[in-house]
């Protein structure tokens, strides 16, 4: 039976403002729609199983082979093996280092892609899958609003992908110079628009465009973080790390610094696919709604969200919490209202969460460097601090793997101040100052934006 995808809001009858979407869609439809029409998130109706022997056979094999195993398990009804192989080989042409901190405790560096953040893993596979979901001869036009790193990961991921053009909107005053440079210079089929306004203005422009009937002919699609097509690739590296490091059947602890919970959700699915995960550790920064929920059983989002140095994790109500609740029998909507609580005892059995303050984050960057000569940046340091907190609660330490989600050289001031060193930029970012290209400046006026799209976007290949 092919896997079908349902909305997490499908049971919400009689809830003001929500018309539940009760139908199911294919993966390709979920990929192009992004979100369900009732603003719920798409979830698979079943989770395929991987055998331990198939997983262990991947040891010492290139990363794309693990991606192929996971992709085939979910997608073989909708994509041929030839297409999937081209997708994963094209997406994963960079290393995935597993660095020992001390025996049986590792950091998995997901920072070797083109924008040096783990978001490259998801965006690159999703972009290539989307290219195979177009109607014959037609173009897809992706619109993304971004306040920073997601935009460049998505833009770089689509660069050169056949049949797709990408328009990225970012707010003038809310991106760093480095981010602006990254966004402006992608080039080719990716155009940046620098919007005079805030991130909310960018989001609004995109939102109105999606529902504008005059623009329907352009096959507009989003590439936002709640797309199931971005979750699927995030299952792969857990399986990869296991195959590389674990003995047959051995249980492993993963620690995943968490903001919108998409990364950690990949681990949750990996466990449900059969990966022996002893515990999923999900540390957050001071946006502590989830650790508080696990401790008390009551969910209250943090609003407004708190500004911490691990800024990619400044999320007061993680969007993928809806999928976590669903997996444990609960329902929570987009604004954070809980309609049915999940089985919290079951959640506590599998998940450990803790809040990590900025002070602890900085201390962790220092102590890990001083004791082990391993450089972490602030997101990975939240992950490591969470792992250490979890170790204090258990008698024996399993094999443990902490995810480092960005490259330390992306945060030179912080690292210089704490460690007195300047980490070397990864290859992919070294030439950034010499890149050419510029954004088009626009105001936050919708009619002007629409005019631009109508002149610029193409319908046919
Ligand atoms: C997005 C991001 C995170 C958080 O990942 P989620 O999937 O949103 O939990 C952590 N670290 C970095 C560097 C990120 O860019």
């Amino acid at each position: 039976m092919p896997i079908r995808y349902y909305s997490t809001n499908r049971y919400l009858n009689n809830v003001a403002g929500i018309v539940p979407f009760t139908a199911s869609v294919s993966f390709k439809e979920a990929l192009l729609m992004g979100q369900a029409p009732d603003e719920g998130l798409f979830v698979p109706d079943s989770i395929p199983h991987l055998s331990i022997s198939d997983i262990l056979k991947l040891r010492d094999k290139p990363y794309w082979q693990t991606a192929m195993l996971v992709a085939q398990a979910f997608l073989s009804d909708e994509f041929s093996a030839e297409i999937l192989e081209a997708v994963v080989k094209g997406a994963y042409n960079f290393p995935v280092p597993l660095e020992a901190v001390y025996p049986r405790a590792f950091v998995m560096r997901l920072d070797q892609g083109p924008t040096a953040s783990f978001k490259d893993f998801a965006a690159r596979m999703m972009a290539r899958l989307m290219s195979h979901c177009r109607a014959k001869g037609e173009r897809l036009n992706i619109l993304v609003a971004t306040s920073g790193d997601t935009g460049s990961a998505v833009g770089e991921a689509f660069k050169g992908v056949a049949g797709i053009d990408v328009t990225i909107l970012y707010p003038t005053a809310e991106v760093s110079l480095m981010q602006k440079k990254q966004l402006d210079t992608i080039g080719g089929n990716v155009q940046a628009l620098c919007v005079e306004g805030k991130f909310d203005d960018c989001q609004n422009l995109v939102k109105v465009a999606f529902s504008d009937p005059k623009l329907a002919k352009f096959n507009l699609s989003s590439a936002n973080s709640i797309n199931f097509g971005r979750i699927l690739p995030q299952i792969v590296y857990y399986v990869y790390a296991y195959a590389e490091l674990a003995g047959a059947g051995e249980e492993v602890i993963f620690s995943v610094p968490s903001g919108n919970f998409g990364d950690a959700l990949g681990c949750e699915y990996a466990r449900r696919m059969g990966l022996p995960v002893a515990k999923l550790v999900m540390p957050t920064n001071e946006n502590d709604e989830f650790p508080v929920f696990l401790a008390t059983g009551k969910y209250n989002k943090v609003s407004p969200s708190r500004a911490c140095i691990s800024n990619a994790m400044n999320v007061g109500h993680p969007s993928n919490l809806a999928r976590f609740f669903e997996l444990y029998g609960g329902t929570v909507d987009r604004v954070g209202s809980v309609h049915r609580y999940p089985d919290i005892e079951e959640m506590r059995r599998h998940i450990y969460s803790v809040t990590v303050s900025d002070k602890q984050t900085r201390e962790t960057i220092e102590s890990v460097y001083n004791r082990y000569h391993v450089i972490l940046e602030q997101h990975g340091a939240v992950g490591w601090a969470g792992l250490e907190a979890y170790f204090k609660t258990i008698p024996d330490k399993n094999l443990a793997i902490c995810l480092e989600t960005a490259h330390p050289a992306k945060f030179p001031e912080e690292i210089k101040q704490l460690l007195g060193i300047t980490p070397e930029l990864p290859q992919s970012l070294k030439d950034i100052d010499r890149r050419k290209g510029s954004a088009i400046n626009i105001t936050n006026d919708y009619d002007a934006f629409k005019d631009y799209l109508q002149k610029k976007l193409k319908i046919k290949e």
Side-chain angles (χ1 to χ4, degrees):
M1 282 277 278
I3 299 171
R4 302 287 297 175
Y5 294 80
Y6 284 95
S7 167
T8 50
N9 282 351
R10 67 192 177 284
Y11 301 123
L12 297 187
N13 249 327
N14 306 320
V15 177
I18 297 180
V19 182
F21 178 75
T22 55
S24 69
V25 300
S26 67
F27 175 82
K28 286 186 178 178
E29 288 165 326
L31 188 66
L32 292 180
M33 290 164 80
Q35 196 170 19
D38 59 8
E39 300 195 324
L41 276 62
F42 283 120
V43 285
D45 66 354
S46 66
I47 297 171
H49 197 265
L50 300 176
S51 75
I52 286 290
S53 66
D54 280 349
I55 293 172
L56 292 174
K57 275 184 218 145
L58 295 165
R59 176 168 290 190
D60 297 331
K61 298 281 190 326
Y63 183 86
W64 67 263
Q65 292 196 11
T66 308
M68 187 67 184
L69 184 74
V70 173
Q72 280 201 293
F74 270 93
L75 304 178
S76 58
D77 285 307
E78 295 187 57
F79 297 87
S80 69
E82 291 73 38
I83 286 181
L84 289 179
E85 190 170 321
V87 164
V88 296
K89 278 186 171 164
Y92 302 119
N93 53 4
F94 51 86
V96 184
L98 286 155
E99 186 176 344
V101 180
Y102 53 80
R104 314 303 285 151
F106 291 79
V107 164
M108 175 158 55
R109 296 207 178 265
L110 303 175
D111 60 0
Q112 303 292 303
T115 68
S117 114
F118 89 98
K119 293 197 169 68
D120 289 328
F121 283 79
R124 289 175 68 76
M125 184 158 160
M126 178 170 78
R128 284 160 182 77
L129 287 171
M130 275 185 158
S131 164
H132 293 284
C133 294
R134 296 169 294 138
K136 219 173 156 40
E138 295 203 353
R139 268 191 116 67
L140 268 181
N141 284 289
I142 309 286
L143 297 184
V144 220
T146 181
S147 54
D149 282 353
T150 309
S152 53
V154 168
E156 285 287 347
F158 279 98
K159 183 174 182 174
V161 171
I164 303 186
D165 287 317
V166 181
T167 308
I168 301 175
L169 290 80
Y170 68 85
T172 316
E174 291 174 31
V175 300
S176 69
L177 273 180
M178 165 101 133
Q179 285 172 330
K180 181 173 166 54
K181 189 85 188 172
Q182 273 186 290
L183 289 162
D184 291 357
T185 59
I186 297 170
N189 57 333
V190 181
Q191 178 63 54
L193 302 182
C194 179
V195 180
E196 207 178 285
K198 293 183 168 305
F199 175 58
D200 286 345
D201 296 308
C202 301
Q203 259 188 325
N204 270 329
L205 289 173
V206 168
K207 204 169 165 181
V208 180
F210 278 129
S211 54
D212 188 335
K214 286 240 163 65
L215 299 176
K217 63 181 178 203
F218 293 115
N219 291 325
L220 297 183
S221 193
S222 69
N224 55 27
S225 58
I226 55 178
N227 197 307
F228 190 78
R230 289 204 23 197
I231 303 299
L232 180 66
Q234 292 175 176
I235 299 171
V236 177
Y237 34 75
Y238 299 99
V239 180
Y240 173 80
Y242 187 90
E244 290 294 305
L245 299 174
E250 184 182 7
E251 290 203 325
V252 55
I253 298 164
F254 283 105
S255 184
V256 188
S258 293
N260 261 319
F261 292 10
D263 197 1
L265 186 66
C267 186
E268 178 71 32
Y269 279 122
R271 180 179 67 77
R272 287 169 188 258
M273 292 177 83
L275 200 72
V277 178
K279 206 80 173 185
L280 165 55
V281 179
M282 291 173 59
T284 66
N285 59 23
E286 290 164 41
N287 293 280
D288 60 356
E289 64 292 328
F290 187 65
V292 169
F293 165 66
L294 274 192
T296 65
K298 286 277 164 267
Y299 183 72
N300 289 301
K301 67 178 171 185
V302 172
S303 178
S305 60
R306 298 172 186 146
C308 299
I309 54 169
S310 47
N311 64 351
M313 294 164 25
N314 291 341
V315 180
H317 170 50
S319 45
N320 280 299
L321 189 67
R323 288 187 171 115
F324 269 101
F325 269 39
E326 164 87 23
L327 285 167
Y328 288 91
T331 308
V332 60
D333 65 22
R334 187 177 59 85
V335 295
S337 301
V338 177
H339 301 277
R340 186 163 150 216
Y341 270 99
D343 181 343
I344 190 153
E345 285 310 320
E346 184 67 11
M347 253 187 177
R348 287 174 182 149
R349 254 194 291 286
H350 296 292
I351 300 172
Y352 174 85
S353 186
V354 63
T355 173
V356 178
S357 68
D358 278 355
K359 181 165 173 285
Q360 288 171 294
T361 306
R362 292 193 170 103
E363 285 168 1
T364 303
I365 294 174
E366 287 176 329
S367 70
V368 170
Y369 182 70
N370 292 334
R371 286 166 71 183
Y372 308 111
H373 281 277
V374 169
I375 307 179
L376 297 176
E377 53 70 64
Q378 49 261 40
H379 303 85
V382 169
W384 190 264
L387 184 62
E388 287 189 330
Y390 177 60
F391 276 155
K392 293 207 177 106
T393 71
I394 52 170
D396 302 308
K397 292 179 189 174
N398 295 57
L399 171 62
I401 300 159
C402 175
L403 275 54
E404 174 53 290
T405 49
H407 196 285
K410 291 181 92 171
F411 308 95
E413 297 86 11
E414 197 69 48
I415 301 294
K416 174 93 197 177
Q417 200 175 6
L418 290 169
L419 308 182
I421 54 171
T422 306
E424 196 183 338
L425 278 171
Q427 204 54 42
S428 59
L429 296 179
K430 269 190 181 148
D431 70 337
I432 187 112
D433 290 331
R434 277 170 280 130
R435 286 185 207 169
K436 296 265 177 297
S438 52
I440 293 171
N441 295 312
I442 65 167
T443 65
N444 62 6
D445 173 54
Y446 178 70
D447 287 326
F449 175 55
K450 174 182 180 168
D451 221 43
Y452 166 83
L453 292 179
Q454 283 180 311
K455 286 201 185 99
K456 166 86 198 272
L457 300 188
K458 295 190 277 280
I459 300 174
K460 295 281 171 208
E461 244 186 299

